[in-house]
Amino acid sequence: MSTKQPETQDRNASSLNGETSPQQIPAEWLQDAPRASIDDGETEYYAVLATIERTLANADVLAGHRDGRGEEWTVHVLYVRRDGARRVSRTYDASVIETADGLRVTPKGLQASIAVDGDHVTPHSAPVTDEITEALRELHEIEVSA
């Protein structure tokens, strides 16, 4: 006799393509996104990778017992320094539009680059990856030297 419990699945939840692994930011996101103005003591960090997250509301909202949004969409953006070795991340609320090709998710207020001074935002070090060097080259025309 098996004691294995059947897996339950929330029919309202679905994983997104690339939800748990960052993907290169679509170039169209950066077309009208502002660049940071850099002051003394600041360094420019460039948007390169993003992860889209969808969070469902609690059961009362989904069942209509309480008012509220059924789901929240968030875009986590990774910003890197010109050499790709230092990074910070920012989170943006997202707008979602249903199109004939599926859902189009766009971060609200995305910046193509941000100014980091090290005092208010502390970047962390990490190895430079092929994904980061490719994104810097394709999105920002920056060549990372090895």
Side-chain angles (χ1 to χ4, degrees), residues 45-67:
Y45 279 62
Y46 303 89
V48 289
L49 303 176
T51 304
I52 299 171
E53 175 184 25
R54 183 181 82 154
T55 306
L56 293 177
N58 67 31
D60 287 336
V61 172
L62 293 175
H65 300 301
R66 254 190 23 217
D67 288 338

Side-chain angles (χ1 to χ4, degrees), residues 25 46-50 76-80 87-90 132:
I25 289 177
Y46 303 89
V48 289
L49 303 176
H76 304 276
V77 176
L78 180 68
Y79 289 87
V80 299
R87 52 194 76 176
V88 298
S89 61
R90 288 236 170 122
I132 288 174

Side-chain angles (χ1 to χ4, degrees), residues 6-126:
E7 291 184 34
T8 58
Q9 183 177 5
D10 184 343
R11 293 176 189 244
N12 295 314
S14 61
S15 60
L16 298 170
N17 182 26
E19 183 174 20
T20 58
S21 61
Q23 304 292 318
Q24 182 172 309
I25 289 177
E28 61 267 12
W29 285 8
L30 299 178
Q31 287 176 350
D32 296 323
R35 296 193 87 84
S37 58
I38 306 301
D39 295 328
D40 287 340
E42 295 179 329
T43 304
E44 189 170 16
Y45 279 62
Y46 303 89
V48 289
L49 303 176
T51 304
I52 299 171
E53 175 184 25
R54 183 181 82 154
T55 306
L56 293 177
N58 67 31
D60 287 336
V61 172
L62 293 175
H65 300 301
R66 254 190 23 217
D67 288 338
R69 295 173 59 188
E71 55 190 20
E72 302 266 334
W73 293 79
T74 307
V75 178
H76 304 276
V77 176
L78 180 68
Y79 289 87
V80 299
R81 192 172 62 185
R82 180 174 281 278
D83 63 5
R86 304 277 291 168
R87 52 194 76 176
V88 298
S89 61
R90 288 236 170 122
T91 301
Y92 296 93
D93 289 331
S95 64
V96 180
I97 298 171
E98 190 169 351
T99 68
D101 297 327
L103 296 178
R104 186 175 75 197
V105 180
T106 309
K108 297 177 184 176
L110 176 72
Q111 292 184 262
S113 68
I114 59 172
V116 175
D117 62 11
D119 292 332
H120 299 93
V121 176
T122 305
H124 64 277
S125 297

